[in-house]
Amino acid sequence: MSDILFIEGGRVIDPASGTDGVRTVVIRDGRIAEVAERVERPRDARAVDARGRWVTPGFVDLHVHLREPGQEYKETVETGARAAVAGGFTSVCAMPNTRPVNDNASVTELVLARAAAAGLARVYPVGAISKGSEGQELAEYGELAAAGCVALSDDGRPVASSALMRRALEYARAFDLPLTVHEEDLGLVGKGVMHEGAASTRLGLKGIPAAAEEVMVLRDLALVELTGGRLHVAHVSTRGAVRAVREAKRRGLAVTAEVTPHHLALRDEDVAASGYSTDFKMNPPLRSAEDVAACREGLADGTLDAIATDHAPHSAVEKDLEFDAAANGIVGLETAFAVCLALARAGAFGERRLVEALTSGPARIFGLPGGTLARGADADVAVLDPAAEWTVDPARFRSKSRNSPWKGRRMAGRCVMTVVGGRVVHEEVGGER
Ligand SMILES: [Zn+2]
Ligand SMILES: [Zn+2]
């Protein structure tokens, strides 16, 4: 096969360069050579017919859990990367809550080596804020940055100590690493397992108030003001958190935020409608209709910079339990596009804004290459069929895990081809589903 790839006749949506129209994308030697309306194709070039499809920069996910090292029965770097490219994601950021925690160069290097061996999506490790993510002592940020970490997080847990969080923000500045924070006040969470509201009362499940997230977001914004550090708020889920981020941005603070497809699409009442399915249990929990509306608005107006999946694979061992006892989290890489496209089609936000929140928006936050089809950029590309209908069958996921709330759901929109560095790493053959 030649090194030249022509993706012809698709609707090219590249928010970073302001392109939205029918174009041909020319890839040569692993890079974007040209995006043009008319371009002569040489004989030895491979042509891909993209008519009726979207051609976008490969998606960038700031928040995935790949479970390796330590919990390879749930996911490995390879299976996670395979799920990523099947969903159109060419870059994923791997959270550090593995076993052991990624709080030192040897874990970072292992993740990078596994990703290189898999040769699928680009995998960017996120290092821990504190050693073991135990919230006691800061990790060595210089070592983590030198090994290849692009951000720091104790995701899965909040940084409970305000003093430690202050020092983390100060220390991370020296390495220009953003802190991506899982915001919950554990005292307010208590034994809560779903959003605190009418639904939790009716179902008789212990609730987690929206304020558990909001007080921590507000605390960290105050600490950003104190330190001049950089804060990225993971999985924003409440109206108050959206409002706090919006106001902080207006004041010029260095804060960014992400939202998950499930917090944009589902609400607390869906826990009841699902019959207490543990595939509707995650942290933060599915919130009220007002919170969902605020998240959609926040995405539309740019308060929320990125869509991130929080892809959290768990096996049946952790999920086939009573609601109270089951682990938090769902897989998301292979359904994100279809879930969000349905929301865009229903008018929650624009289609270009959707692509931006999956590409240049997240790339900018962590300073990652990619997220654009600009000439000379790495040729990371997704070809998407917005009309392709399919039924979600977790048994067919590339991910090792099956914990999806979309099981059995009819969807429209699929990734049909994914290119990383000019190489086709995922290609859907006709009739696969
Ligand atoms: Zn989290
Ligand atoms: Zn997470």
Side-chain angles (χ1 to χ4, degrees), residues 63-65 67 95 97 153 155-156 182 234-235 258 283 309-312:
H63 192 147
V64 304
H65 298 272
R67 306 301 189 204
M95 283 297 185
N97 64 335
S153 183
D155 186 53
H182 169 116
H235 43 52
E258 71 190 31
N283 189 10
T309 64
D310 196 4
H311 177 83

Side-chain angles (χ1 to χ4, degrees), residues 228-407:
R230 273 176 70 199
L231 187 76
H232 176 68
V233 185
H235 43 52
V236 165
S237 74
T238 78
R239 181 167 57 172
V242 173
R243 187 171 54 213
V245 170
R246 185 179 287 125
E247 285 174 0
K249 284 187 163 187
R250 260 188 216 137
R251 284 188 292 131
L253 295 188
V255 58
T256 52
E258 71 190 31
V259 62
T260 70
H262 46 279
H263 289 114
L264 290 168
L266 299 173
R267 48 177 297 205
D268 57 353
E269 293 289 351
D270 292 315
V271 174
S274 75
Y276 300 81
S277 164
T278 61
D279 290 334
F280 290 74
K281 185 181 180 190
M282 61 284 284
N283 189 10
L286 298 174
R287 299 289 190 184
S288 70
E290 293 73 30
D291 292 315
V292 172
C295 287
R296 291 176 182 180
E297 254 178 63
L299 188 74
D301 73 12
T303 299
L304 306 178
D305 304 82
I307 294 170
T309 64
D310 196 4
H311 177 83
H314 288 297
S315 79
V317 175
E318 293 88 16
K319 279 296 199 182
D320 282 355
L321 299 169
E322 279 182 42
F323 201 86
D324 279 336
N328 286 307
I330 58 167
V331 292
L333 286 166
E334 295 171 76
T335 49
F337 175 65
V339 169
C340 295
L341 179 65
L343 294 171
R345 293 262 151 107
F349 35 77
E351 291 174 346
R352 268 172 288 178
R353 176 68 196 130
L354 164 62
V355 173
E356 184 176 47
L358 286 165
T359 59
S360 55
R364 202 174 302 128
I365 294 170
F366 286 1
L368 306 177
T372 177
L373 298 176
R375 186 187 303 230
D378 288 331
D380 293 1
V381 184
V383 182
L384 308 145
D385 184 347
E389 291 195 14
W390 58 292
T391 302
V392 178
D393 176 5
R396 307 191 71 157
F397 283 162
R398 274 70 168 184
S399 168
K400 272 195 185 182
S401 291
R402 311 275 172 257
N403 48 318
S404 170
W406 318 109
K407 180 166 48 189

Side-chain angles (χ1 to χ4, degrees), residues 100-173:
V101 167
N102 183 9
D103 62 3
N104 66 82
S106 66
V107 180
T108 307
E109 284 160 7
L110 179 139
V111 171
L112 287 171
R114 292 283 193 276
L120 296 162
R122 301 175 199 272
V123 177
Y124 295 98
V126 176
I129 290 174
S130 65
K131 287 186 180 161
S133 286
E134 284 171 356
Q136 302 296 319
E137 205 183 329
L138 295 183
E140 294 289 345
Y141 298 170
E143 178 184 323
L144 290 168
C149 287
V150 296
L152 299 164
S153 183
D154 277 353
D155 186 53
R157 296 176 184 181
V159 177
S161 160
S162 307
L164 191 86
M165 187 64 190
R166 174 194 184 168
R167 284 196 284 118
L169 282 161
E170 288 168 347
Y171 185 27
R173 279 186 63 181

